[in-house]
Amino acid sequence: MVSFSKNKILNHPVKKIYNIIADVKKYPDFLPWCNEITIKEKTKKYIITEVKVGFKNINETYVCRVLLYPQKRITLEYISGPFEHLEIDWKFKKITKIKTNVNFFCSFKFKSIFLRLSTSFFLENAVEKMVDAFEKKLNNRTY
């Protein structure tokens, strides 16, 4: 199983950070390996998405429920796809009007031994690059 966590204080308002992470439809515009997202269902409390990811010669699709706790937390519930286990959790804590503590946690394990072996060399680095892509997006866009 691959696990990754990152805690960082960002010089952005909590609302701006939350809005970028909650806007899952735009992930393919800036997240590496995220090729397409289809919204299956959307309410104020959750979004059910079908996510197509690809890296090297591997392309996979998974379905998940993104639970929304406005300006406090965004967490992912895995529904189906190539994972044995998938957990993603973002927590936000307002420090000041323009400063936010962001805590990110990700844990996953592929069902397929082939996928585990073929991705094990670069996945932890890939997850960190994805987190960095959100920060870069924050610095390049107003919400």
Side-chain angles (χ1 to χ4, degrees):
M1 184 159 0
V2 175
S3 292
F4 176 83
S5 64
K6 189 168 189 172
N7 191 61
K8 193 162 188 179
I9 294 173
L10 299 176
N11 293 318
H12 296 281
V14 68
K15 183 177 182 179
K16 179 180 178 182
I17 297 168
Y18 175 86
N19 285 346
I20 285 176
I21 296 169
D23 193 2
V24 297
K25 186 71 176 157
K26 292 190 179 160
Y27 284 10
D29 296 344
F30 66 96
L31 274 183
W33 307 287
C34 184
N35 297 332
E36 184 181 335
I37 292 188
T38 304
I39 305 293
K40 299 291 189 181
E41 185 179 341
K42 186 174 183 177
T43 73
K44 287 185 178 186
K45 294 184 179 186
Y46 67 86
I47 306 166
I48 296 179
T49 64
E50 180 180 82
V51 182
K52 293 183 181 180
V53 294
F55 34 91
K56 299 199 178 197
N57 292 327
I58 300 167
N59 291 292
E60 293 291 340
T61 301
Y62 67 92
V63 178
C64 64
R65 179 179 292 108
V66 180
L67 300 171
L68 305 169
Y69 306 90
Q71 298 182 41
K72 296 197 181 332
R73 187 176 189 185
I74 297 173
T75 189
L76 180 143
E77 285 183 352
Y78 177 67
I79 296 173
S80 65
F83 297 98
E84 185 175 301
H85 164 81
L86 174 63
E87 178 183 356
I88 296 176
D89 191 28
W90 293 89
K91 293 178 184 170
F92 316 102
K93 186 174 183 184
K94 180 180 176 179
I95 297 171
T96 68
K97 193 174 182 178
I98 59 165
K99 208 172 264 209
T100 304
N101 184 22
V102 178
N103 185 280
F104 172 78
F105 175 78
C106 176
S107 173
F108 59 91
K109 181 179 182 182
F110 285 111
K111 292 176 190 172
S112 158
I113 291 175
F114 168 76
L115 283 175
R116 279 187 239 154
L117 293 174
S118 60
T119 60
S120 63
F121 300 109
F122 65 92
L123 272 181
E124 192 166 327
N125 186 39
V127 173
E128 185 158 9
K129 282 185 179 185
M130 291 174 77
V131 172
D132 292 343
F134 278 103
E135 188 172 0
K136 185 177 178 184
K137 181 76 169 169
L138 278 165
N139 293 325
N140 293 332
R141 186 167 182 178
T142 57
Y143 264 79

